[in-house]
């Protein structure tokens, strides 16, 4: 704090012995010791208050982070609850009633949706006959090529 080292304290002590009479020296040393003790206590108290303020500031930061995490956790929990509600099967669902309903619909007469192009009792439409004839027509094999027999060479004299 005052940046006293041993040489400065020694000079200060020699000057004090020269100025302060030996009779008053114990009382002055006691007073100086008490003043130093008070200064050390005040410095320790100041340092303690400073450290406490730092801890409180850090605790405030940690508390804010915890509040943020808590908020995120609550949001996630709300989302999970909503997902769980949407995924639950309706408790009024009756499987036997559903099967009976499906069976009764299957036993009903078929509904006419539109006209079918396939006739089960008559002749097929003409355009289908032509298409079927083209696909079923026999394919003629390619003409056979007979190998040519090479004629013997003629003599030049002949």
């Amino acid at each position: 704090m005052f940046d006293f080292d041993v040489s400065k304290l020694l000079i200060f002590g020699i000057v004090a012995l020269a100025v302060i009479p030996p009779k008053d020296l114990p009382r002055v040393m006691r007073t100086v010791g008490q003043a130093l003790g008070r200064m050390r206590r005040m410095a320790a108290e100041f340092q303690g208050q400073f450290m406490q303020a730092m801890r409180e500031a850090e605790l405030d930061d940690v508390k804010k982070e915890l509040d943020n995490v808590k908020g995120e956790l609550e949001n996630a929990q709300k989302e999970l609850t909503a997902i769980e509600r949407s995924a639950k099967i309706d408790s009024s669902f009756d499987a036997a009633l559903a099967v009976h309903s499906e069976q009764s619909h299957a036993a009903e007469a078929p509904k006419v949706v539109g006209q079918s192009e396939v006739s089960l009792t008559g002749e097929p439409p003409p355009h289908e006959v032509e298409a079927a004839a083209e696909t079923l027509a026999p394919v003629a094999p390619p003409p056979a090529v007979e190998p040519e027999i090479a004629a013997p060479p003629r003599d030049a004299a002949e």
Side-chain angles (χ1 to χ4, degrees), residues 32 42 52 58 106 122 134:
V32 169
M42 286 183 358
Q52 184 179 2
E58 288 176 5
E134 289 176 6

PDB file of all heavy atoms in Angstrom, residues 32 42 52 58 106 122 134:
ATOM      1  N   VAL A  32       1.834   3.502  17.294  1.00  0.00           N
ATOM      2  CA  VAL A  32       2.065   3.129  15.893  1.00  0.00           C
ATOM      3  C   VAL A  32       1.556   1.709  15.633  1.00  0.00           C
ATOM      4  O   VAL A  32       0.919   1.431  14.604  1.00  0.00           O
ATOM      5  CB  VAL A  32       3.565   3.257  15.542  1.00  0.00           C
ATOM      6  CG1 VAL A  32       3.868   2.626  14.187  1.00  0.00           C
ATOM      7  CG2 VAL A  32       3.992   4.711  15.547  1.00  0.00           C
ATOM      8  N   MET A  42      -9.043  -2.504   8.699  1.00  0.00           N
ATOM      9  CA  MET A  42      -9.850  -1.794   7.700  1.00  0.00           C
ATOM     10  C   MET A  42      -9.589  -2.349   6.297  1.00  0.00           C
ATOM     11  O   MET A  42     -10.522  -2.525   5.507  1.00  0.00           O
ATOM     12  CB  MET A  42      -9.543  -0.284   7.742  1.00  0.00           C
ATOM     13  CG  MET A  42     -10.159   0.382   8.944  1.00  0.00           C
ATOM     14  SD  MET A  42      -9.975   2.187   9.114  1.00  0.00           S
ATOM     15  CE  MET A  42      -9.033   2.751   7.791  1.00  0.00           C
ATOM     16  N   GLN A  52     -17.233 -10.086  -1.178  1.00  0.00           N
ATOM     17  CA  GLN A  52     -18.649 -10.408  -1.035  1.00  0.00           C
ATOM     18  C   GLN A  52     -19.448  -9.812  -2.194  1.00  0.00           C
ATOM     19  O   GLN A  52     -20.349 -10.466  -2.735  1.00  0.00           O
ATOM     20  CB  GLN A  52     -19.178  -9.881   0.299  1.00  0.00           C
ATOM     21  CG  GLN A  52     -20.622 -10.253   0.556  1.00  0.00           C
ATOM     22  CD  GLN A  52     -21.106  -9.741   1.907  1.00  0.00           C
ATOM     23  OE1 GLN A  52     -20.365  -9.082   2.632  1.00  0.00           O
ATOM     24  NE2 GLN A  52     -22.342 -10.052   2.243  1.00  0.00           N
ATOM     25  N   GLU A  58     -21.535 -12.585  -9.059  1.00  0.00           N
ATOM     26  CA  GLU A  58     -21.461 -13.897  -9.705  1.00  0.00           C
ATOM     27  C   GLU A  58     -22.733 -14.693  -9.434  1.00  0.00           C
ATOM     28  O   GLU A  58     -23.238 -15.384 -10.314  1.00  0.00           O
ATOM     29  CB  GLU A  58     -20.243 -14.669  -9.204  1.00  0.00           C
ATOM     30  CG  GLU A  58     -18.925 -14.134  -9.709  1.00  0.00           C
ATOM     31  CD  GLU A  58     -17.733 -14.871  -9.124  1.00  0.00           C
ATOM     32  OE1 GLU A  58     -17.932 -15.870  -8.398  1.00  0.00           O
ATOM     33  OE2 GLU A  58     -16.602 -14.433  -9.378  1.00  0.00           O
ATOM     34  N   ALA A 106     -69.272 -53.564 -45.775  1.00  0.00           N
ATOM     35  CA  ALA A 106     -68.798 -54.542 -46.754  1.00  0.00           C
ATOM     36  C   ALA A 106     -69.949 -55.394 -47.280  1.00  0.00           C
ATOM     37  O   ALA A 106     -69.929 -55.850 -48.414  1.00  0.00           O
ATOM     38  CB  ALA A 106     -67.731 -55.431 -46.129  1.00  0.00           C
ATOM     39  N   GLY A 122     -70.162 -58.879 -72.969  1.00  0.00           N
ATOM     40  CA  GLY A 122     -70.231 -58.594 -74.390  1.00  0.00           C
ATOM     41  C   GLY A 122     -68.863 -58.626 -75.039  1.00  0.00           C
ATOM     42  O   GLY A 122     -67.884 -59.091 -74.479  1.00  0.00           O
ATOM     43  N   GLU A 134     -52.675 -56.696 -82.619  1.00  0.00           N
ATOM     44  CA  GLU A 134     -51.304 -56.299 -82.922  1.00  0.00           C
ATOM     45  C   GLU A 134     -50.307 -56.960 -81.981  1.00  0.00           C
ATOM     46  O   GLU A 134     -49.229 -57.357 -82.386  1.00  0.00           O
ATOM     47  CB  GLU A 134     -51.165 -54.779 -82.826  1.00  0.00           C
ATOM     48  CG  GLU A 134     -51.855 -54.052 -83.952  1.00  0.00           C
ATOM     49  CD  GLU A 134     -51.775 -52.544 -83.767  1.00  0.00           C
ATOM     50  OE1 GLU A 134     -51.088 -52.087 -82.825  1.00  0.00           O
ATOM     51  OE2 GLU A 134     -52.406 -51.831 -84.542  1.00  0.00           O
TER      52      GLU A 134
END
